[in-house]
Amino acid sequence: INYYIYYAKNTIMKYIFYFLGTVLLLGQEKPKPEATEYWEPEPVVVTPAQDNLPPSDAIVLFDGSDLSKWRNARGGGEASWIINDNGSMTVTRNGGIETIDEHGSIQLHIEWRTPTKMEGKGQGRGNSGIIFQRRYEVQILDSYNNRTYSNGQAASIYKQYAPLVNASKPPGEWQSYDIIFTEPEFDKIGIMTKRGRFTVFHNGILVQNNVEILGTTEYIGMPKIGKNEISGYMGKNTKKNLYIQDHGNPVEFRNIWMRKL
């Protein structure tokens, strides 16, 4: 009996609320879809990448013709890596190269391949790296049937995050990285107020999902987080150049472009 009394009371209250709600809605103007639309600002039109060409708003860093956007990272002189007939360039043993211009948050596309002739193992096989703002490295390595520490294999954020999966192709095959780099933010006295982030696609597969950068890339020791902290691994450079590493292996690169974010 108590159950039926409770149910009857709640049913009556429910219909009372329905009635009151209907009365209130009748007194208001019916919502329109336009209320949640906005037309300005209109997104800028960008022609997508196609036929191996970059999108129309990209800054082309290397198209196979010259190294005019790059310099030697050791002394600042002319970049002297080998330009090949196939539109690629090969690392030579005279140091890494860096962009002449600095960069903030960017989308980067870069294609690379490790030597067909497999020499060495672990970190000694097809090793290079892409270092953003001379501080934060995405590793390049021949990680096809080549075991090493997980946060040092291809597509790792070096010594910080292993890739979600190993998407490596065999040696001698062209591979691609599409990387979203969000730079960290600092206050006026150089204290980090917001960490940077990486999203990385390796050969079209998501391998780093908006991970938070822990600090500078360090071969030994923990990452550093101050604005003017210098990575001992990267050398005494606090500028924001994009750097490609010479690790002693003849890795090839081609079709490098970026978009400012």
Side-chain angles (χ1 to χ4, degrees), residues 13-237:
M13 291 301 298
K14 180 172 67 174
Y15 283 112
I16 289 173
F17 281 120
Y18 283 163
F19 174 75
L20 292 174
T22 303
V23 170
L24 290 172
L25 286 174
L26 289 174
Q28 295 180 358
E29 184 179 352
K30 185 179 179 181
K32 297 180 179 179
E34 292 83 355
T36 52
E37 298 173 359
Y38 68 87
W39 289 61
E40 299 295 339
E42 183 180 3
V44 175
V45 175
V46 173
T47 304
Q50 54 187 340
D51 299 326
N52 214 34
L53 296 174
S56 59
D57 65 343
I59 299 170
V60 178
L61 298 175
F62 179 70
D63 63 2
S65 59
D66 60 58
L67 286 164
S68 59
K69 298 289 180 68
W70 303 82
R71 65 188 174 204
N72 185 282
R74 286 179 180 172
E78 183 177 330
S80 56
W81 286 7
I82 298 170
I83 297 181
N84 306 303
D85 292 337
N86 64 1
S88 69
M89 61 177 170
T90 304
V91 178
T92 57
R93 291 308 313 275
N94 58 0
I97 60 174
E98 65 179 8
T99 54
I100 294 172
D101 295 331
E102 298 182 37
H103 70 87
S105 298
I106 58 171
Q107 173 188 347
L108 178 73
H109 175 86
I110 186 167
E111 298 170 18
W112 54 276
R113 69 176 176 181
T114 57
T116 303
K117 184 179 179 181
M118 294 181 293
E119 296 182 342
K121 61 181 181 179
Q123 294 292 305
R125 203 167 101 188
N127 194 325
S128 182
I130 307 161
I131 295 87
F132 293 72
Q133 299 189 343
R134 290 300 299 264
R135 295 174 179 84
Y136 318 110
E137 180 181 4
V138 177
Q139 172 75 314
I140 286 176
L141 194 73
D142 177 1
S143 289
Y144 187 83
N145 294 330
N146 180 35
R147 189 75 170 97
T148 186
Y149 45 95
S150 297
N151 62 348
Q153 72 176 64
S156 64
I157 309 304
Y158 188 73
K159 286 289 185 85
Q160 296 185 26
Y161 297 98
L164 296 172
V165 295
N166 183 347
S168 297
K169 294 182 180 181
E173 291 192 19
W174 282 104
Q175 310 196 50
S176 67
Y177 282 162
D178 288 282
I179 302 171
I180 308 300
F181 168 71
T182 304
E183 66 175 340
E185 297 177 7
F186 302 88
D187 63 17
K188 292 181 179 179
I189 61 174
I191 296 175
M192 184 180 289
T193 57
K194 187 176 182 180
R195 291 185 183 272
R197 291 184 172 274
F198 273 120
T199 295
V200 181
F201 289 85
H202 183 193
N203 296 324
I205 297 173
L206 180 66
V207 292
Q208 300 287 351
N209 189 8
N210 195 33
V211 297
E212 189 175 79
I213 302 170
L214 303 180
T216 58
T217 293
E218 301 294 330
Y219 180 51
I220 299 174
M222 300 302 292
K224 302 182 178 78
I225 61 172
K227 181 178 182 179
N228 296 314
E229 293 282 7
I230 299 170
S231 167
Y233 183 40
M234 294 304 136
K236 295 181 178 180
N237 189 326

Side-chain angles (χ1 to χ4, degrees), residues 1-14:
I1 294 173
N2 289 335
Y3 169 78
Y4 288 111
I5 293 172
Y6 173 81
Y7 179 78
K9 287 181 178 179
N10 281 276
T11 302
I12 293 170
M13 291 301 298
K14 180 172 67 174

